[in-house]
Amino acid sequence: MTIQKSGAISINEAGYKQLGEPRFVQLLHDADERLIALNPTEETDLDGYAVRRQNASKGTGPAVISAGNFASDCGVDTHQARRWAPELIDGMLVVDLKVEGVIVISNRERGRLAREGGGGTQ
């Protein structure tokens, strides 16, 4: 699971399938334990967030949830995109924010860093 600079949450294909490929999720936060979770829900859930596939026409690719305010409210630093390996618990994808996420460098940024001599590997 990746929290992007915009605060959007993306889930790779495997994680989305583990979650049951829902069209909507609840975004849950345990402030004391510093956990966030994606819980599948129904379209009628007023607390639900829409899940869209990045390649919507084919129904494949990462699933993305617009969650900028949620990420901010949870205290997630979004100056750089970060990736975590979520755990499936009780049908929810759960991320422990006490574990530092891996900084994600886009291919475009990696190429720029390599041209400038800054490496570009994670």
Side-chain angles (χ1 to χ4, degrees):
M1 182 184 309
T2 301
I3 299 180
Q4 301 169 8
K5 286 182 178 183
S6 66
I9 297 172
S10 62
I11 313 162
N12 67 14
E13 183 86 17
Y16 188 55
K17 286 185 179 187
Q18 272 191 314
L19 198 55
E21 301 183 74
R23 292 182 47 229
F24 291 85
V25 294
Q26 289 177 328
L27 301 176
L28 306 173
H29 177 230
D30 181 329
D32 294 333
E33 295 297 323
R34 296 211 56 224
L35 302 172
I36 60 171
L38 305 181
N39 185 36
T41 192
E42 301 297 323
E43 183 175 3
T44 55
D45 185 343
L46 297 177
D47 293 322
Y49 285 74
V51 180
R52 64 179 172 79
R53 297 302 289 265
Q54 197 157 1
N55 190 348
S57 64
K58 294 183 180 179
T60 61
V64 180
I65 301 111
S66 295
N69 288 338
F70 175 78
S72 176
D73 291 346
C74 294
V76 176
D77 178 5
T78 57
H79 288 93
Q80 293 180 303
R82 292 188 181 269
R83 180 177 299 131
W84 289 265
E87 186 176 348
L88 188 66
I89 301 173
D90 296 330
M92 298 181 287
L93 283 181
V94 180
V95 166
D96 185 345
L97 296 174
K98 294 183 298 293
V99 175
E100 188 173 342
V102 175
I103 294 174
V104 177
I105 300 174
S106 70
N107 289 339
R108 184 178 313 142
E109 182 69 7
R110 186 174 289 119
R112 185 187 66 76
L113 289 171
R115 286 188 304 276
E116 293 175 0
T121 59
Q122 287 190 39

